[in-house]
Amino acid sequence: MEEMAVSSGFDYEVFLSFRGPDTRAGFTDFLYVSLIDAGIRAYRDDEELRVGEEIGPELLQAIKQSRISIPIFSTRYASSKWCLKELVQMVECKKNMGQKIMPIFYDVEPSQVRHQTGGYEQAFIEHESKGRYSDETISKWKAALSEVGALKGWDLHSMPNRHEGDFVKTLVKKVFGELKKGFLVLSDCLVEVDNHVSEIMRTIGPRTHETWIVGIHGMGGVGKTTLAKIIYNQLSPNFEHRCFLSNIRETSEVNGVEYLQNQLISDILKKERKDISIRNIDEGIEMIKDRLCGKRLLLLLDDIDKKNQLNVLMGKRNWFGEGSKVIITSRNKEVLNVPQVDWTYELKCMDPNKSLQLLSKHAFRSDHPLDDYLDISRKAVGIAGGLPIALEVIGSLLSCNRKEMWDVILKKLEKVPHEEVSSKLRISYEALDDRQKHIFLDMACFFIGYDKEIAIYMWDETEFFPEEALEVLQHMSLIKIDENNTLWMHDLIRDMGREISRQDSNMVTEKQTRVWNVDEALNLLMTKQEKEKVEALRLEFRHPAGQRFADEEFMRFPNLRLLVVNGGTIGQWSMYRLSLETMFKIKFGIEEQTSRQNFHLPTNFFQKKSHLLPKLRWLAWHYIPRDFDIAKLSMRNLVVLSLALSTITHRWDGWSHIKKAKSLKVLDLTSCWHLVETPDFSGLANLERLIMHSCGSLVRVDKSIGQLQRLILLDVGYCWQLRDLPNEIHKLKSLKELLIVGTRLQDNMSSSPS
């Protein structure tokens, strides 16, 4: 990796594209020297070549680094493959980065360039006759000539009394003026974002005479600011009054909103900041309304995190002149839910192909990884999960290391997110209140992949307001709720949440509130000290001999509110179909247990009777043996109970104890294949969701189901043997969903609720 060249960044402001034999010694040389004398960093190919690099890639990179490209169209310009390659790159940068092209028609008419006639037509005949270039390449060259040939430029060829010296002076002044227009700097490692740019420009671009306010939202590090800058750069040439307010969240915390008001006014009025005195927010509001009223402006408000910031910077649409364009970026979608904003656009993570390209730009300074690095680069892309900030950080980190170190670095990143990425994502977390942080950490450690309507029972609605909290987390782009109502979280955000949980405990497992790693949890269970900090635990019993525990092991978890256990014996489950497991696992986030054969949970798991775990709200014990005595566990506060994939029957002794769960809202018996009849449901008066999906042996539902007056969902889907339901089903006045797909009930349910 040491031999790879590294670009120095934004080295140039103006790129000159010309065919050397035509203009290098005369016009181009004079123009170049004049630009340099004016303090403008210009690039031309005969002085700036870096040692050891081919001319092609160096020239193309210089275009990306420049803010203005000036193609000098001479008679033989189109005969140079390098000139045509440069022109294609200019057009791409114009589309993707908003760069400006200022063409000079030196000794050809614009129509010759636009339509490829005369000498330009002959040049393409020569290119095609050589057979070196594909039809696609030829088409790109012609399209670039047509597009740039149609731009407004300088037709030096048609000027009467042509004085090149005077023209160059005029051109340098024009270039200098363009460079002062506030073109926003973009990375030279950008990946094409045409689809996002096109969609936003279609919305706001054509409406040149209308005021248009758009918001771009998405998770931290997804590229909102970059996209907004590209839009700003494309719109910039059409506006005399422009302002870019960056990092508003951070700036307002450090310097106050008055500082931003001052910057807005000074940028638009082109006055020094010291000449504008704003003593308080109200004075700033009045000054913006009075001084900017009627001015058609372009405004980019970057990283808004509070509605109040919008109110004091652009309270109403009529604060600015007709035809103004305002672009707002925010991590929080809710901030954009105000009357001023006309339209919002969600920026999502990159697809795998674009991710690989962006990683390659930072790791290899190329659009593609080196052949020997392809597989490991794809692994890096998988860790980044399509998040641009992560791809940039990981790519840059890897570029500085030998290949043999990549595996070591990636293994570390799989466990602990990079500090720079994590700090970017953590900004959104820090904006949450304590209740929302609590629910976020629960999700990061346990509830990814769960059905939202099930997971929400975990949190007391009078204490945590979970519906509101989940909505806030979604607005903050910390979670997603997909079309199946399933909770989803980006891997890097998940890892950040888990790392927060570790750090809050000073990396001591016994002090963690949530222990999701099954190995750590098993070790924790066997330690003797108290674990009063632990509130959520995931266990998995993997060894055939089983592990025996006494009551005191669980008595050391007095504050446990969530317990997920995967264990039991499934050797007798040869008839079990994995496809059915995948149908229900999103309900409770049950992971596939592909290596669980012969796992054994001993029946004397506890060695004496007791009511353990008094604060337990959620118990998910999958593969629980039928001879396990659940009476050892407290039912007092239990709200969710999942016994999926278990061998219990309706005669199981545990049912009588479960009736003591007076607060139980959800009972999940998915794929309990030994369940021929349901148990007696009397006593579960508060039950709202009863799930018996894929209980393949079930033939009878107990009539006590009619007592479940708060039941809103009954799922008996794919209970193939079930032919009817008791008449008492009609007593369920609260029932909203009755799921019977894959049963023999369809023909018998014409009078049943649906």
Side-chain angles (χ1 to χ4, degrees), residues 22-296:
D22 294 350
T23 64
R24 177 188 283 121
F27 176 78
T28 298
D29 182 69
F30 183 45
L31 174 57
Y32 172 76
V33 172
S34 298
L35 290 168
I36 296 297
D37 288 345
I40 297 170
R41 297 190 304 278
Y43 180 101
R44 64 174 181 180
D45 62 311
D46 62 341
E47 286 188 3
E48 313 295 343
L49 278 177
R50 294 172 186 171
V51 177
E53 293 190 63
E54 295 181 3
I55 186 170
E58 171 69 6
L59 285 172
L60 298 180
Q61 185 67 10
I63 297 170
K64 291 181 180 180
Q65 295 172 346
S66 300
R67 292 165 58 179
I68 296 174
S69 290
I70 301 179
I72 303 169
F73 292 116
S74 55
T75 307
R76 295 287 293 164
Y77 182 93
S79 66
S80 167
K81 64 179 181 181
W82 295 119
C83 288
L84 295 172
K85 285 183 178 181
E86 292 163 17
L87 199 68
V88 169
Q89 188 67 40
M90 291 179 212
V91 171
E92 289 183 4
C93 289
K94 177 177 178 289
K95 290 179 179 178
N96 297 332
M97 302 169 66
Q99 291 183 6
K100 190 171 185 65
I101 301 177
M102 301 172 64
I104 297 173
F105 303 97
Y106 181 70
D107 54 8
V108 293
E109 295 180 0
S111 61
Q112 284 183 268
V113 177
R114 188 162 62 251
H115 302 298
Q116 295 95 59
T117 59
Y120 281 62
E121 181 180 21
Q122 183 60 38
F124 276 98
I125 292 174
E126 293 173 5
H127 287 312
E128 292 167 353
S129 67
K130 293 176 182 177
R132 296 179 182 174
Y133 313 110
S134 66
D135 291 342
E136 182 182 1
T137 297
I138 296 291
S139 295
K140 283 185 177 180
W141 289 351
K142 289 183 176 182
L145 285 168
S146 297
E147 181 167 341
V148 178
L151 296 176
K152 183 179 180 181
W154 288 275
D155 185 3
L156 197 57
H157 173 72
S158 302
M159 284 184 181
N161 302 318
R162 169 170 158 174
H163 297 290
E164 292 185 2
D166 292 339
F167 168 73
V168 167
K169 289 180 181 179
T170 301
L171 177 59
V172 170
K173 287 181 181 179
K174 179 68 174 176
V175 169
F176 195 81
E178 288 292 333
L179 292 173
K180 288 176 62 179
K181 280 192 172 182
F183 184 96
L184 303 181
V185 175
L186 293 163
S187 168
D188 58 339
C189 290
L190 277 183
V191 168
E192 187 176 298
V193 289
D194 274 359
N195 55 329
H196 302 301
V197 174
S198 297
E199 186 164 352
I200 295 174
M201 289 300 289
R202 273 197 305 270
T203 301
I204 66 174
R207 296 169 169 81
T208 54
H209 300 298
E210 299 178 20
T211 297
W212 201 252
I213 302 173
V214 301
I216 301 172
H217 64 92
M219 64 188 288
V222 80
K224 302 180 295 296
T225 300
T226 298
L227 177 59
K229 283 183 174 182
I230 293 171
I231 301 296
Y232 182 96
N233 286 344
Q234 290 203 7
L235 294 172
S236 184
N238 301 316
F239 288 85
E240 179 182 355
H241 305 292
R242 294 164 301 275
C243 179
F244 169 42
L245 296 180
S246 64
N247 300 318
I248 289 175
R249 174 189 55 79
E250 185 176 343
T251 303
S252 60
E253 288 177 358
V254 175
N255 299 317
V257 180
E258 299 93 332
Y259 181 90
L260 294 163
Q261 292 176 317
N262 192 307
Q263 183 182 339
L264 172 59
I265 296 168
S266 62
D267 284 0
I268 298 301
L269 299 182
K270 298 179 175 60
K271 292 183 177 293
E272 294 292 331
R273 184 185 297 274
K274 60 182 175 59
D275 296 331
I276 300 170
S277 176
I278 295 177
R279 290 171 293 186
N280 55 61
I281 292 175
D282 291 337
E283 188 175 285
I285 290 174
E286 291 302 317
M287 192 175 294
I288 291 172
K289 290 164 58 178
D290 294 342
R291 304 292 295 276
L292 306 188
C293 180
K295 292 190 181 297
R296 180 178 175 271

Side-chain angles (χ1 to χ4, degrees), residues 478-632:
L478 288 169
I479 69 168
K480 299 288 184 188
I481 301 174
D482 69 14
E483 62 274 10
N484 296 317
N485 214 32
T486 304
L487 299 174
W488 178 88
M489 182 181 288
H490 192 284
D491 287 353
L492 290 173
I493 293 180
R494 175 204 65 197
D495 294 344
M496 175 197 71
R498 293 180 175 184
E499 188 63 15
I500 289 171
S501 183
R502 289 191 184 99
Q503 291 175 358
D504 287 348
S505 65
N506 293 320
M507 312 302 285
V508 177
T509 306
E510 290 82 355
K511 295 182 179 180
Q512 282 183 207
T513 55
R514 301 160 181 86
V515 183
W516 59 92
N517 181 284
V518 293
D519 294 321
E520 292 179 2
L522 195 58
N523 291 334
L524 184 63
L525 193 64
M526 293 187 288
T527 60
K528 300 299 183 182
Q529 60 264 50
E530 288 292 310
K531 299 104 178 180
E532 64 274 3
K533 294 285 187 181
V534 180
E535 298 178 11
L537 189 69
R538 183 192 301 276
L539 289 168
E540 185 172 306
F541 299 101
R542 299 173 175 172
H543 305 295
Q547 173 68 55
R548 301 177 188 276
F549 300 99
D551 286 6
E552 51 264 27
E553 269 79 16
F554 271 80
M555 289 176 67
R556 297 189 184 107
F557 294 89
N559 296 310
L560 199 69
R561 54 190 175 84
L562 178 145
L563 176 61
V564 177
V565 183
N566 285 320
T569 303
I570 61 169
Q572 55 196 308
W573 283 57
S574 58
M575 59 186 167
Y576 178 70
R577 294 173 58 182
L578 183 61
S579 60
L580 290 179
E581 180 173 353
T582 62
M583 294 169 65
F584 75 80
K585 71 177 184 177
I586 65 169
K587 287 286 183 184
F588 285 86
I590 300 172
E591 300 175 359
E592 295 177 13
Q593 305 297 321
T594 56
S595 60
R596 192 183 300 283
Q597 297 296 329
N598 299 320
F599 290 172
H600 177 65
L601 183 68
T603 57
N604 59 342
F605 182 86
F606 303 108
Q607 295 177 345
K608 61 182 180 179
K609 294 280 184 178
S610 63
H611 289 289
L612 301 173
L613 312 180
K615 294 187 178 181
L616 196 65
R617 287 181 61 85
W618 183 297
L619 174 62
W621 200 312
H622 309 134
Y623 306 97
I624 192 171
R626 73 182 73 181
D627 50 358
F628 175 71
D629 186 1
I630 201 172
K632 300 168 174 60

